[in-house]
Amino acid sequence: MFEQTVLQINDTNSIMHIRQTARDLAKLLDFGSADQTRLATAVSELVRNVLQHGGGEGTCQIENQSDSYQDKICIIVEDEGPGIIDIDMAMQDGYSTQDSLGAGLPGTKRLVQEFMLTSEPGRTSVTIALSRRRQ
Amino acid sequence: MKIPVLQLKGILLTSIQAELSDEDALEFQIDVLEKVQNSNAQGVVIDITALDVVDSFMARVINETANSISMLGAHAVLCGMQPSVALTLTEMGRELIGVDSALNLDKGVDKLNDVIKGLELTMDDYQANH
């Protein structure tokens, strides 16, 4: 089992590969099918954001942060694109640029337990995490 | 990857059997629409049992395909959505899927036939009264 892997985002083929890697880890850690799908979908949205708005290239780090108390997957998606000018606005439902019509960041946020976004011109980073207490 | 679109009497059956890349999804969209036009079909059943991720892009493709099928004068029914996919789409919000849907292929075909029958009845009614 990997503890951490960094995958490159460079074209739409990356989307399938990266979200599958995230799902595989969730499966391995025995997350239920709803959580597996939530995570894979959230990752799909974030990677797509990088391709559409984040300059088209970036990285996705998938990390297993499980310990004796909980199973936890932490994912960091980063790009060096133009950045999000108004984060508050980007986090409002219904906001979308470039006619992407995607569920955008607020929709993605609702799928995971932790969500953190930092952005400045030349560097945008989104961290999401899914965790579950060990039985 | 080419997704087969089969004709069965007056309807088209298509089943997405694997995860689609964006290009595949867009190709599928135009394929189905052309098939609707060329086949004179009254409806299309789109089976997505095998999709375990439907993100906002895929949802939009499905939505647009169904709406375009309506614009051609046929009717689309989506079937076989995985429970976890339905849950995720609902949680993401914004009614990503606004398409007529059914539990499985069987029920999808039934539903489509009902719709087609309903349309024919309405048409008979219309003709009887005019």
Side-chain angles (χ1 to χ4, degrees), chain A residues 12-13 15-16 19 23 33-34 37-38 40-41 44-45 48 93-94 99-103 107-108 110-111, chain B residues 19-24 52-58 60 64 84-85 87-94 96:
Chain A
T12 55
N13 293 323
I15 299 173
M16 281 200 286
R19 76 184 179 205
R23 177 189 281 273
S33 70
T37 303
R38 286 188 186 104
T41 309
S44 196
E45 298 293 332
R48 199 178 287 287
D93 267 318
D99 274 333
S100 70
L101 296 174
T108 307
R110 283 194 287 273
L111 299 180
Chain B
E19 295 279 306
L20 297 185
S21 69
D22 291 8
E23 290 77 16
D24 289 339
D52 55 12
V53 174
V54 175
D55 66 0
S56 58
F57 173 81
M58 194 60 203
R60 176 155 61 105
E64 285 178 0
S84 62
V85 169
L87 193 58
T88 300
L89 282 174
T90 310
E91 285 169 353
M92 273 208 293
R94 295 226 278 139
L96 286 171

Side-chain angles (χ1 to χ4, degrees), chain A residues 21-74:
Chain A
T21 309
R23 177 189 281 273
D24 288 346
L25 179 59
K27 208 173 195 169
L28 202 68
L29 295 176
D30 258 344
F31 279 91
S33 70
D35 274 342
Q36 291 175 28
T37 303
R38 286 188 186 104
L39 187 71
T41 309
V43 169
S44 196
E45 298 293 332
L46 294 179
V47 172
R48 199 178 287 287
N49 265 352
V50 170
L51 294 169
Q52 285 178 344
H53 312 295
E57 278 183 28
T59 57
C60 177
Q61 177 184 315
I62 301 174
E63 194 177 354
N64 177 8
Q65 291 185 347
S66 303
D67 54 31
S68 46
Y69 302 104
Q70 62 175 3
D71 289 312
K72 182 171 178 179
I73 299 171
C74 179

Side-chain angles (χ1 to χ4, degrees), chain A residues 90-110:
Chain A
M91 289 310 295
Q92 278 171 21
D93 267 318
Y95 172 84
S96 72
T97 50
Q98 288 189 10
D99 274 333
S100 70
L101 296 174
L105 295 168
T108 307
K109 187 182 178 184
R110 283 194 287 273

Side-chain angles (χ1 to χ4, degrees), chain B residues 45 47 49 77-81 102-110:
Chain B
V45 179
D47 173 59
T49 311
V77 174
L78 186 69
C79 69
M81 185 183 284
L103 188 62
N104 53 35
L105 191 56
D106 212 31
K107 291 201 164 70
V109 172
D110 283 351

Side-chain angles (χ1 to χ4, degrees), chain A residues 107-132:
Chain A
T108 307
K109 187 182 178 184
R110 283 194 287 273
L111 299 180
V112 291
Q113 274 130 12
E114 289 174 40
F115 182 99
M116 195 183 72
L117 166 66
T118 59
S119 185
E120 57 187 70
R123 208 188 99 86
T124 295
S125 173
V126 185
T127 304
I128 58 171
L130 200 65
S131 57
R132 196 192 43 157

